[in-house]
Amino acid sequence: MRHLFALFTFIGMFSWGYCFTPVHGQETQENETSIAATAKSESESESESESALKKEFLLTDRPLEIWTFIDDYRIIPGKTLHLTVQVLWMLGITVDLESLANVDLSPFVIEGIIISERQIFDNMHDFAVVTYALSLPPNIKEGIYSIPSFKLSYINTVDSKEGAASSAPIAVKRTPILVEGKIDKDVICIGDRIHYTLTIRYENDIKLLWDTMDKIQFPPFEVLKKESSTQTEGELTKTVIDYTLAIYELGGKERNPEIPGISVLYYKEPDSQSAAIRGNDSSIVTKEAHTTPIPILINTLLKSVDVPLEGLKGPVPYSKEHVFFYGYMPFGGGILLLLLFGMLTIRASMQKQAEKKPITTTITPHIALEKLKAVMLKLEYTDNDALNKENAQLASKALRTYLGTFTGISNELAQSLTTSRFFENNGQNKLSEDATTVARESFRLLDSLIFEKQIHEETFKRTKDCLEDVVRLTGINK
């Protein structure tokens, strides 16, 4: 309450002082009407804005639904396409999510897969998210390829009925070149600079027509500066061109211009064998790839209508005492109150920050080793398959955490990386070659325990022996 009282007092004193601060004032003549001016609006009337409320997505009454999304409908060999699968099922339904690790999405190659844990959607549904990292074989031809649909089985625990749901196929175009244009901001004022980045990824046998690239313009924007860089990434070449654009005037009634789409002309360089077969009939076909236009919003400051001042007397001076008591004194008091209010606010915030903060613990190799040993003691074969899989999952997580402390990666990243990419972070040979080999075998055995339907006691014994060899070869227990 005292903070609010001080704030209101400051506002009142500041407003009072501001009214009497000028040394000279102006008086209007008596019995003279006040001056009024009306400004006519220059802009045309706009239509009413559409409602921003989104319609609620209505779920069907099916026991299991599969939704698929991709980050791009175009792909080029050497790049990764991410397929997101959202699985939603009703309560009382048991879903075999583990079967998603064995689906066939040919001709696409599965580079990696992440299966999240079950989460609550609403009072009647649960869901899980599965992410696939897909790529195409390097020698595949251009054209449209389909990510095939796949089935996911489920069991209704209420009436013990079995069923399956299928996903929808997705068409993806395989292209030899990808062109993308981005800007750093889309709302500017007249004279501001925009950085437009044109990124071109293409196969090494693709040739760009640089003569047309050098003549690219962005009307009504002017090109102030251009910088380009090219680098090769395996079988792909990446060219990045950064344009610095600016606009200084708007022509006609156009107040919201757009950066036009950019056309990139290219052709595929024929190999020597095909050229020799065709002879004189061989010709080069030029194709075109383009970007989409990007609208830009211009902030314009409309000039206010000038109001004539008529019938006004000259300036009337105030005395120094009047200016001091009715101007500077209330203004100074308001500043003092503002400083006092700021000090009280800072003091209150410092008291809140001084409260006891939660202690953050860092996972060290020794702590991770103790957790791994504790999990290894539970890694024994039982007649309960669900318990066996749970113990194998705990062992896999503990092993990833333990090895992640050596390679210097976070626990979250260590849990999500695939086995092949996990050991790519082994910089400066932090893990020996023998330890890396045994760790790979441990990951393979743990995956077989987690995903295979039939579990053997011999696999449990081999997995536990491999884990003991990992502990022995890393040398932390010495």
Side-chain angles (χ1 to χ4, degrees), residues 62 64-70 83-88 100 103-105 130 132 134 146-154 164-171:
R62 290 178 293 182
L64 176 63
E65 298 184 25
I66 302 176
W67 305 333
T68 53
F69 309 92
I70 56 175
L83 172 67
T84 302
V85 180
Q86 294 183 1
V87 183
L88 187 140
L100 294 178
V103 297
D104 183 14
L105 300 179
V130 182
Y132 292 93
L134 306 178
S146 175
I147 300 177
S149 62
F150 53 88
K151 291 186 178 181
L152 184 60
S153 60
Y154 65 88
S166 300
S167 65
I170 302 177

Side-chain angles (χ1 to χ4, degrees), residues 361-407:
T361 58
T362 304
I363 300 178
T364 62
H366 296 279
I367 297 176
L369 177 60
E370 294 300 327
K371 292 183 179 180
L372 178 60
K373 288 182 178 181
V375 174
M376 289 170 57
L377 295 177
K378 298 180 181 180
L379 196 62
E380 298 292 343
Y381 178 77
T382 62
D383 295 334
N384 190 347
D385 291 341
L387 181 60
N388 292 335
K389 292 180 179 294
E390 182 180 356
N391 292 333
Q393 289 178 351
L394 293 176
S396 177
K397 292 181 179 179
L399 179 60
R400 287 178 175 271
T401 303
Y402 176 61
L403 295 179
T405 59
F406 284 93
T407 56

Side-chain angles (χ1 to χ4, degrees), residues 116-229:
S116 68
E117 298 181 355
R118 187 189 70 173
Q119 303 181 48
I120 299 175
F121 184 78
D122 54 19
N123 295 331
M124 299 180 59
H125 297 83
D126 290 345
F127 79 99
V129 180
V130 182
T131 304
Y132 292 93
L134 306 178
S135 64
L136 282 175
N139 297 327
I140 196 167
K141 297 182 179 180
E142 299 180 25
I144 298 177
Y145 296 89
S146 175
I147 300 177
S149 62
F150 53 88
K151 291 186 178 181
L152 184 60
S153 60
Y154 65 88
I155 299 176
N156 192 335
T157 56
V158 178
D159 52 8
S160 300
K161 290 184 178 180
E162 297 183 359
S166 300
S167 65
I170 302 177
V172 179
K173 184 178 180 180
R174 189 276 195 205
T175 178
I177 184 172
L178 289 178
V179 181
E180 182 182 17
K182 291 184 178 180
I183 57 176
D184 58 344
K185 53 186 175 182
D186 56 0
V187 180
I188 63 171
C189 296
I190 297 296
D192 289 349
R193 295 189 176 186
I194 304 177
H195 288 278
Y196 180 86
T197 303
L198 179 64
T199 304
I200 309 172
R201 294 183 177 91
Y202 52 95
E203 299 178 356
N204 293 335
D205 57 350
I206 294 297
K207 300 298 180 182
L208 303 180
L209 296 181
W210 291 105
D211 294 340
T212 59
M213 297 285 294
D214 296 335
K215 300 178 182 178
I216 292 179
Q217 299 295 327
F218 299 85
F221 295 87
E222 297 183 12
V223 180
L224 304 180
K225 187 179 179 182
K226 183 179 72 172
E227 295 180 354
S228 63
S229 62

